[in-house]
Amino acid sequence: MSLNERRPRSDKGLSSWRKHPGKSEMEIAAIVTETTRLRLFAALGPFLAWLYCIAFLAARTDGPIFEDGRYWLPSLMVCYAFSILPMLFTAWVDRRLSDRWWRSLACGLAGFGIAFVLYYGLMHEGPSAAEHAKTFRQDWFYVALVWGLPAVVCAWVMGLTNPRESADVLR
């Protein structure tokens, strides 16, 4: 056994090679990239959705958003609960389009579309659907941006963190 074979690997992110015997370094790098993508979209996406939601609420209301300060943390938790699945779907879209220069735009459209469809469905049901339809017509664009913008930002950050996925514009 040579000295290079006994020395532990020092590649950042590829330290899991011991956990996956028989896999090449490219396969391990792909696994590390996928877990990074899921972590990024699952952590940053809902947080950004909450920030955008708070910003849109602040722009639309005259007074304070919450009368009591104890509602900030529950609003973050509710936003996270509603945003985790759409953000994971946009992570899947980002993975499928990882070699395209327009993947951030496609992720944004996917997040925007999911938010539009869910908001439309919620606002057009029940006994007061006619009243809520007016609210839907006024706010649909802003509500859809709450998931569209974080999807764009997450896909863009993922492209910055993984230079292998940054695509050439001329492709």
Side-chain angles (χ1 to χ4, degrees):
M1 187 181 281
S2 71
L3 181 63
N4 288 338
E5 292 174 350
R6 286 183 288 177
R7 188 179 341 152
R9 301 216 177 207
S10 62
D11 295 339
K12 184 178 179 184
L14 295 179
S15 62
S16 63
W17 65 278
R18 292 183 203 123
K19 297 177 187 175
H20 303 283
K23 298 228 185 245
S24 69
E25 286 190 15
M26 288 191 65
E27 291 172 331
I28 294 169
I31 291 170
V32 169
T33 300
E34 288 311 307
T35 57
T36 303
R37 183 183 324 276
L38 290 176
R39 287 179 190 165
L40 178 78
F41 275 82
L44 184 62
F47 180 71
L48 288 175
W50 177 72
L51 285 179
Y52 290 135
C53 186
I54 294 297
F56 290 139
L57 281 174
R60 301 278 299 176
T61 59
D62 295 332
I65 297 171
F66 299 122
E67 295 294 327
D68 195 358
R70 64 181 171 195
Y71 294 119
W72 288 98
L73 183 60
S75 70
L76 175 64
M77 292 174 5
V78 167
C79 191
Y80 189 89
F82 280 108
S83 299
I84 188 69
L85 287 177
M87 287 298 117
L88 290 178
F89 175 74
T90 56
W92 177 80
V93 170
D94 184 59
R95 169 63 186 110
R96 293 292 172 214
L97 301 174
S98 63
D99 59 340
R100 309 279 190 241
W101 66 267
W102 45 271
R103 75 180 193 185
S104 294
L105 298 174
C107 289
L109 286 175
F112 190 90
I114 291 169
F116 177 82
V117 168
L118 288 177
Y119 188 56
Y120 181 85
L122 290 174
M123 297 303 278
H124 286 83
E125 287 190 10
S128 58
E131 296 171 22
H132 293 308
K134 182 181 176 195
T135 306
F136 174 78
R137 284 191 297 274
Q138 292 173 350
D139 298 334
W140 69 271
F141 185 75
Y142 301 111
V143 171
L145 282 179
V146 168
W147 283 342
L149 292 176
V152 169
V153 171
C154 288
W156 177 69
V157 169
M158 189 63 204
L160 290 177
T161 60
N162 193 2
R164 290 184 204 148
E165 288 186 1
S166 56
D168 192 7
V169 175
L170 299 176
R171 262 191 199 175

